[in-house]
PDB file of all heavy atoms in Angstrom:
ATOM      1  N   THR A 139       2.677 -18.440  -8.131  1.00 95.00           N
ATOM      2  CA  THR A 139       1.361 -18.664  -7.531  1.00 95.00           C
ATOM      3  C   THR A 139       1.418 -18.345  -6.025  1.00 95.00           C
ATOM      4  O   THR A 139       2.391 -18.672  -5.344  1.00 95.00           O
ATOM      5  CB  THR A 139       0.842 -20.094  -7.802  1.00 95.00           C
ATOM      6  OG1 THR A 139      -0.426 -20.223  -7.168  1.00 95.00           O
ATOM      7  CG2 THR A 139       1.783 -21.171  -7.287  1.00 95.00           C
ATOM      8  N   GLY A 140       0.407 -17.639  -5.558  1.00 96.00           N
ATOM      9  CA  GLY A 140       0.330 -17.313  -4.136  1.00 96.00           C
ATOM     10  C   GLY A 140       1.119 -16.077  -3.732  1.00 96.00           C
ATOM     11  O   GLY A 140       1.175 -15.744  -2.550  1.00 96.00           O
ATOM     12  N   LYS A 157     -10.697 -13.034  -7.319  1.00 91.00           N
ATOM     13  CA  LYS A 157     -10.821 -14.102  -6.320  1.00 91.00           C
ATOM     14  C   LYS A 157      -9.448 -14.451  -5.755  1.00 91.00           C
ATOM     15  O   LYS A 157      -8.511 -14.768  -6.478  1.00 91.00           O
ATOM     16  CB  LYS A 157     -11.479 -15.332  -6.962  1.00 91.00           C
ATOM     17  CG  LYS A 157     -11.643 -16.485  -6.005  1.00 91.00           C
ATOM     18  CD  LYS A 157     -13.039 -17.089  -6.102  1.00 91.00           C
ATOM     19  CE  LYS A 157     -13.263 -18.332  -5.246  1.00 91.00           C
ATOM     20  NZ  LYS A 157     -12.482 -18.520  -4.065  1.00 91.00           N
ATOM     21  N   VAL A 158      -9.360 -14.389  -4.438  1.00 94.00           N
ATOM     22  CA  VAL A 158      -8.116 -14.695  -3.727  1.00 94.00           C
ATOM     23  C   VAL A 158      -8.132 -16.154  -3.295  1.00 94.00           C
ATOM     24  O   VAL A 158      -9.167 -16.660  -2.857  1.00 94.00           O
ATOM     25  CB  VAL A 158      -7.979 -13.756  -2.501  1.00 94.00           C
ATOM     26  CG1 VAL A 158      -6.896 -14.222  -1.559  1.00 94.00           C
ATOM     27  CG2 VAL A 158      -7.722 -12.329  -2.949  1.00 94.00           C
ATOM     28  N   GLY A 159      -6.982 -16.822  -3.420  1.00 93.00           N
ATOM     29  CA  GLY A 159      -6.897 -18.227  -3.023  1.00 93.00           C
ATOM     30  C   GLY A 159      -7.027 -18.376  -1.522  1.00 93.00           C
ATOM     31  O   GLY A 159      -6.411 -17.633  -0.770  1.00 93.00           O
ATOM     32  N   GLU A 160      -7.841 -19.347  -1.098  1.00 91.00           N
ATOM     33  CA  GLU A 160      -8.003 -19.555   0.345  1.00 91.00           C
ATOM     34  C   GLU A 160      -7.335 -20.838   0.793  1.00 91.00           C
ATOM     35  O   GLU A 160      -6.865 -20.967   1.907  1.00 91.00           O
ATOM     36  CB  GLU A 160      -9.488 -19.587   0.707  1.00 91.00           C
ATOM     37  CG  GLU A 160     -10.048 -18.189   0.858  1.00 91.00           C
ATOM     38  CD  GLU A 160     -11.558 -18.159   0.853  1.00 91.00           C
ATOM     39  OE1 GLU A 160     -12.179 -19.232   0.979  1.00 91.00           O
ATOM     40  OE2 GLU A 160     -12.095 -17.050   0.701  1.00 91.00           O
ATOM     41  N   GLY A 161      -7.301 -21.802  -0.099  1.00 88.00           N
ATOM     42  CA  GLY A 161      -6.739 -23.092   0.271  1.00 88.00           C
ATOM     43  C   GLY A 161      -5.299 -23.217  -0.171  1.00 88.00           C
ATOM     44  O   GLY A 161      -4.577 -22.220  -0.249  1.00 88.00           O
ATOM     45  N   VAL A 162      -4.888 -24.447  -0.467  1.00 88.00           N
ATOM     46  CA  VAL A 162      -3.498 -24.673  -0.849  1.00 88.00           C
ATOM     47  C   VAL A 162      -3.318 -24.651  -2.367  1.00 88.00           C
ATOM     48  O   VAL A 162      -2.198 -24.604  -2.852  1.00 88.00           O
ATOM     49  CB  VAL A 162      -2.988 -26.032  -0.314  1.00 88.00           C
ATOM     50  CG1 VAL A 162      -2.859 -25.992   1.194  1.00 88.00           C
ATOM     51  CG2 VAL A 162      -3.910 -27.170  -0.732  1.00 88.00           C
ATOM     52  N   ASP A 163      -4.423 -24.668  -3.096  1.00 90.00           N
ATOM     53  CA  ASP A 163      -4.301 -24.747  -4.548  1.00 90.00           C
ATOM     54  C   ASP A 163      -4.198 -23.365  -5.184  1.00 90.00           C
ATOM     55  O   ASP A 163      -4.753 -22.398  -4.668  1.00 90.00           O
ATOM     56  CB  ASP A 163      -5.519 -25.464  -5.141  1.00 90.00           C
ATOM     57  CG  ASP A 163      -5.532 -26.933  -4.770  1.00 90.00           C
ATOM     58  OD1 ASP A 163      -4.425 -27.487  -4.592  1.00 90.00           O
ATOM     59  OD2 ASP A 163      -6.620 -27.502  -4.642  1.00 90.00           O
ATOM     60  N   PRO A 164      -3.516 -23.306  -6.350  1.00 92.00           N
ATOM     61  CA  PRO A 164      -3.497 -22.048  -7.095  1.00 92.00           C
ATOM     62  C   PRO A 164      -4.912 -21.622  -7.444  1.00 92.00           C
ATOM     63  O   PRO A 164      -5.780 -22.474  -7.677  1.00 92.00           O
ATOM     64  CB  PRO A 164      -2.727 -22.414  -8.360  1.00 92.00           C
ATOM     65  CG  PRO A 164      -1.916 -23.597  -7.986  1.00 92.00           C
ATOM     66  CD  PRO A 164      -2.738 -24.359  -6.989  1.00 92.00           C
ATOM     67  N   GLU A 165      -5.160 -20.323  -7.452  1.00 89.00           N
ATOM     68  CA  GLU A 165      -6.522 -19.852  -7.649  1.00 89.00           C
ATOM     69  C   GLU A 165      -6.787 -19.380  -9.086  1.00 89.00           C
ATOM     70  O   GLU A 165      -7.594 -19.953  -9.792  1.00 89.00           O
ATOM     71  CB  GLU A 165      -6.808 -18.717  -6.647  1.00 89.00           C
ATOM     72  CG  GLU A 165      -8.229 -18.211  -6.675  1.00 89.00           C
ATOM     73  CD  GLU A 165      -9.248 -19.278  -6.322  1.00 89.00           C
ATOM     74  OE1 GLU A 165      -9.095 -19.930  -5.285  1.00 89.00           O
ATOM     75  OE2 GLU A 165     -10.201 -19.479  -7.118  1.00 89.00           O
ATOM     76  N   THR A 166      -6.085 -18.333  -9.497  1.00 87.00           N
ATOM     77  CA  THR A 166      -6.370 -17.744 -10.811  1.00 87.00           C
ATOM     78  C   THR A 166      -5.879 -18.670 -11.921  1.00 87.00           C
ATOM     79  O   THR A 166      -4.749 -19.138 -11.885  1.00 87.00           O
ATOM     80  CB  THR A 166      -5.691 -16.364 -10.926  1.00 87.00           C
ATOM     81  OG1 THR A 166      -6.054 -15.598  -9.775  1.00 87.00           O
ATOM     82  CG2 THR A 166      -6.127 -15.645 -12.190  1.00 87.00           C
TER      83      THR A 166
END
Side-chain angles (χ1 to χ4, degrees):
T139 179
K157 180 134 175 26
V158 167
E160 278 165 13
V162 291
D163 291 330
E165 185 61 52
T166 309

